[in-house]
């Protein structure tokens, strides 16, 4: 059974700082890994999708890496802004289309 | 322009009632999903339909019954609502294929009194 863990559970940083969010998963037989953002009371916004054959993906100030063999992914946010404050969720897709989520990291960027 | 939409956004009802949540996607995707996010914000898949056929059915009470009239719609009907059903329910869709990105709706917050 796939289990996804995200560390830390919460993170508070001053504006402008670079930061890293961590995600680990127990079963390396995945098709892809997806990072989402969830704002309070809102739905999920897809940030980055990394296929199992890829090592990283970049979008603007975001960079996600994947090390499938060790069951780890990181989301790097450069030059953080108050608008980046949200919960960040990591999810891995295994067999049968199932997407298994971690419990998320609550990020607060202070002005 | 909404890609995945859900109605209603909020639903407050009494225990024992029957209610439905509707989901529609205009992305032309073949696969749709229902997820439940509990009070601790943990997201877990409930069902998945591919081309109107059920392909994932997690350990969900029989009181929950998904219905897919066509590829663009996946509705969730819940019978005999219980207090523990209170949660946010998210619909999602993806293009057929395990490697494809999932897109989520805005969620329906269900409160059972």
């Amino acid at each position: 059974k796939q289990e996804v863990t995200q560390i830390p559970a919460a993170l508070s940083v001053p504006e402008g700082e670079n930061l890293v969010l961590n995600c680990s998963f127990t079963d390396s037989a995945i098709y892809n890994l997806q990072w989402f953002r969830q704002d309070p009371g809102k739905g999920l916004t897809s940030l980055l999708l990394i296929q199992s054959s890829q090592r990283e993906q970049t979008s603007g100030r975001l960079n996600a890496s994947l090390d499938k063999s060790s069951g780890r992914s990181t989301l790097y946010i450069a030059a953080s802004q108050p608008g980046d404050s949200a919960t960040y969720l990591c999810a891995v897709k295994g067999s049968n289309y199932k997407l298994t989520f971690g419990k998320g990291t609550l990020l607060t960027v202070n002005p | 322009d909404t890609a995945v939409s859900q109605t209603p956004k909020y639903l407050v009802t009494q225990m024992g009632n029957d209610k439905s949540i509707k989901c529609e996607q205009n992305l032309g995707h073949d696969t749709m999903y229902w997820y439940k996010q509990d009070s601790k914000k943990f997201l877990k898949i409930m069902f998945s339909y591919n081309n109107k056929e059920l392909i994932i059915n997690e350990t969900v009470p029989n009181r929950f019954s998904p219905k897919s009239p066509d590829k663009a719609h996946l509705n969730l009907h819940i019978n005999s609502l219980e207090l523990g059903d209170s949660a946010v329910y998210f619909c999602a869709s993806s293009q057929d294929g395990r490697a494809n990105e999932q897109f989520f709706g805005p969620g329906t917050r269900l409160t059972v009194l």
Side-chain angles (χ1 to χ4, degrees), chain A residues 32 34 38 46 51 93 96, chain B residues 37 56 98-101:
Chain A
N32 60 43
Q34 202 166 349
Q38 185 174 26
S46 179
Q51 303 295 353
K93 181 175 282 187
N96 296 326
Chain B
Q37 187 171 44
I56 295 175
R98 295 187 172 92
N100 292 316
E101 190 174 4

Side-chain angles (χ1 to χ4, degrees), chain B residues 42-101:
Chain B
F42 189 48
L43 260 167
K44 192 169 181 183
I45 191 164
M46 300 173 67
F47 300 102
S48 176
Y49 270 73
N50 177 254
N51 285 314
K52 302 196 308 177
E53 288 191 24
L54 183 66
I55 56 171
I56 295 175
N57 184 354
E58 289 297 284
T59 308
V60 177
N62 291 336
R63 299 181 294 101
F64 290 79
S65 53
K67 285 187 172 51
S68 181
D70 56 58
K71 287 197 308 183
H73 296 84
L74 181 61
N75 304 322
L76 183 65
H77 188 75
I78 315 171
N79 290 327
S80 303
L81 279 156
E82 299 178 358
L83 292 177
D85 297 333
S86 296
V88 181
Y89 292 85
F90 287 98
C91 177
S93 74
S94 68
Q95 187 59 33
D96 189 25
R98 295 187 172 92
N100 292 316
E101 190 174 4

Side-chain angles (χ1 to χ4, degrees), chain A residues 27-38:
Chain A
D27 185 353
S28 61
I30 65 169
Y31 287 94
N32 60 43
L33 183 146
Q34 202 166 349
W35 281 94
F36 294 88
R37 168 189 173 134
Q38 185 174 26

